[in-house]
Amino acid sequence: MHSVATLERFARELFTAAGMDADKAATMAELLVLTDALGRRTHGLAMLPLYLAEIAKGTMSTSGEPEVINQRGVVALWDGHYLPGQWMIARAIDWALPRAAEHGIAAVTVRRSHHIGCLAALCLRAVDKGFVAIIVNSDPAGARVAPYGGREALFTPDPFAIGYPGTPNPVLVDICASITTTSMTRQKVAEGTQFSQPWLLDHEGRPTTDPRALE
């Protein structure tokens, strides 16, 4: 067993060694470990090798700030320039909370963010302060899901989440428009295991339990 502090330090040091700004590395490490603590192992520290590979390829930015495209009152539009996704959304939540406290609502749209990980973990950043959080995510370039009755991948899994304070525990709902997730499928491939149900379609459009059908 490893402590939360040890795991966070492990992830933080790897991100920093890869060239990521210290504040971004700290936030990413915190949220990845929190994701594992929530039981979403497919989106926690298991994502580290993929993120480090993205940094090495230059497809995840490691420093800088989001570009403000438009920002008025309680709404904002930022360009993320593919900065680390969890850090980016945490930054957006931190921007929105004081405005929501004053006006009752606030919203941030981020374009060109990198992968934002577990939405439930991000929701907790607001929920723990007494707010309701709604996060909706889409990646139009990542076509992996066929429409009902079809066999050609046209859509992203389109995850979305809502979180709100509850007694004794907060309520977190984190789901997607597809039956399973890309990360879960990737994990099954790595394990050499099958899905318990035919949740994927093969290249002929036939239901299958084989996670390699997504490759």
Side-chain angles (χ1 to χ4, degrees):
M1 293 288 290
H2 299 283
S3 69
V4 167
T6 298
L7 293 172
E8 286 187 5
R9 183 172 64 250
F10 170 73
R12 184 172 64 249
E13 290 177 352
L14 284 175
F15 280 130
T16 302
M20 188 178 289
D21 291 343
D23 64 320
K24 297 174 179 64
T27 299
M28 291 289 287
E30 174 191 349
L31 286 167
L32 288 178
V33 174
L34 174 58
T35 297
D36 278 330
L38 290 173
R40 294 292 302 276
R41 300 297 176 84
T42 57
H43 287 64
L45 290 174
M47 297 299 298
L48 256 175
L50 296 172
Y51 290 160
L52 295 174
E54 289 282 288
I55 292 172
K57 290 189 298 184
T59 49
M60 177 192 284
S61 302
T62 55
S63 63
E65 297 293 322
E67 177 186 356
V68 177
I69 304 300
N70 203 339
Q71 196 164 282
R72 299 183 184 183
V74 298
V75 295
L77 170 62
W78 297 351
D79 189 320
H81 293 288
Y82 300 106
L83 288 161
Q86 286 95 322
W87 173 84
M88 175 65 62
I89 303 305
R91 184 74 174 270
I93 291 170
D94 292 346
W95 180 92
L97 292 187
R99 290 162 176 82
E102 181 178 357
H103 300 286
I105 191 171
V108 183
T109 298
V110 180
R111 72 185 191 190
R112 297 204 302 171
S113 169
H114 205 278
H115 184 255
I116 68 173
C118 174
L119 276 57
L122 290 162
C123 281
L124 273 177
R125 196 174 186 89
V127 172
D128 284 346
K129 296 180 175 65
F131 291 84
V132 175
I134 300 173
I135 302 176
V136 179
N137 180 43
S138 181
D139 178 11
R144 300 182 185 91
V145 182
Y148 182 76
R151 65 181 185 180
E152 180 182 357
L154 298 176
F155 306 128
T156 178
D158 288 336
F160 55 97
I162 181 170
Y164 55 90
T167 304
N169 300 308
V171 176
L172 300 170
V173 179
D174 184 352
I175 55 179
C176 63
S178 57
I179 295 176
T180 189
T181 66
T182 302
S183 295
M184 175 64 76
T185 306
R186 187 184 297 119
Q187 184 181 72
K188 292 288 187 183
V189 171
E191 294 172 345
T193 58
Q194 301 274 308
F195 282 107
S196 60
Q197 301 292 329
W199 288 352
L200 301 181
L201 298 178
D202 65 17
H203 297 297
E204 299 299 323
R206 297 170 300 196
T208 179
T209 61
D210 186 355
R212 294 173 299 176
L214 194 62
E215 296 179 333

